[in-house]
Amino acid sequence: MTSEAVRRAQSGSPWEESFGFARAVAVGDRVLVAGTTSFKGPVLHGEGDPYEQAKMAFTSALEAIAEFGLGPASVIRTRMYLTHLRDVDEVGRAHKELFDSVRPASTLLVVAGFVDPRILVEVELEAFRGHHGQQAARGAVDS
């Protein structure tokens, strides 16, 4: 795979620079969005509110796939990481509001914590961009 086949998007998160990662990476038909919280710059939105943090984190993740011309309907997988079991229903409510009609494969885990103790929720997305990669692979086989 050539470097031209991989595109990256940055969100401006300070962790992207200090840890050396991209918010989203597109390769072939897939766009993968890294762990995303409700931070916008230095501000944590929805402090103490798992529903608001989940909505903001998913909104930021959807903004990342929008850079590749995609929206919620292209999301095929979500992952939600929570610090408290008590927050499952509120985070699930935020997920349903955004993805009820899409119904992506989804995983929800309770974890010990995040890099900032005010973070209650972190999310990841995977999106599908179409069939151009599969057609190219079939073409190579058919030749």
Side-chain angles (χ1 to χ4, degrees):
M1 181 175 303
T2 65
S3 61
E4 293 80 27
V6 178
R7 289 185 46 218
R8 292 173 175 79
Q10 302 296 139
S11 70
S13 161
W15 290 308
E16 290 171 8
E17 187 59 34
S18 64
F19 292 2
F21 73 93
R23 171 64 48 217
V25 176
V27 59
D29 287 331
R30 293 176 64 201
V31 178
L32 308 174
V33 180
T36 304
T37 67
S38 64
F39 267 99
K40 285 285 192 176
V43 177
L44 177 71
H45 293 268
E47 187 168 346
D49 186 335
Y51 169 80
E52 288 300 326
Q53 284 195 22
K55 286 274 289 213
M56 179 60 79
F58 276 124
T59 298
S60 293
L62 289 168
E63 288 170 359
I65 66 169
E67 292 197 33
F68 301 98
L70 303 175
S74 66
V75 175
I76 59 172
R77 181 167 195 40
T78 60
R79 292 181 185 91
M80 296 162 278
Y81 304 93
L82 318 177
T83 54
H84 301 287
L85 186 59
R86 68 173 186 245
D87 296 337
V88 167
D89 290 339
E90 287 301 292
V91 173
R93 181 168 65 99
H95 186 276
K96 182 177 176 81
E97 286 178 12
L98 293 165
F99 301 108
D100 191 31
S101 65
V102 178
R103 300 289 172 127
S106 186
T107 301
L108 186 143
L109 299 166
V110 177
V111 299
F114 299 111
V115 296
D116 184 313
R118 298 172 299 159
I119 298 171
L120 302 174
V121 180
E122 185 168 325
V123 304
E124 296 177 349
L125 296 181
E126 293 184 34
F128 183 70
R129 338 194 256 178
H131 301 286
H132 68 281
Q134 292 173 358
Q135 290 168 347
R138 275 196 305 270
V141 172
D142 293 339
S143 305

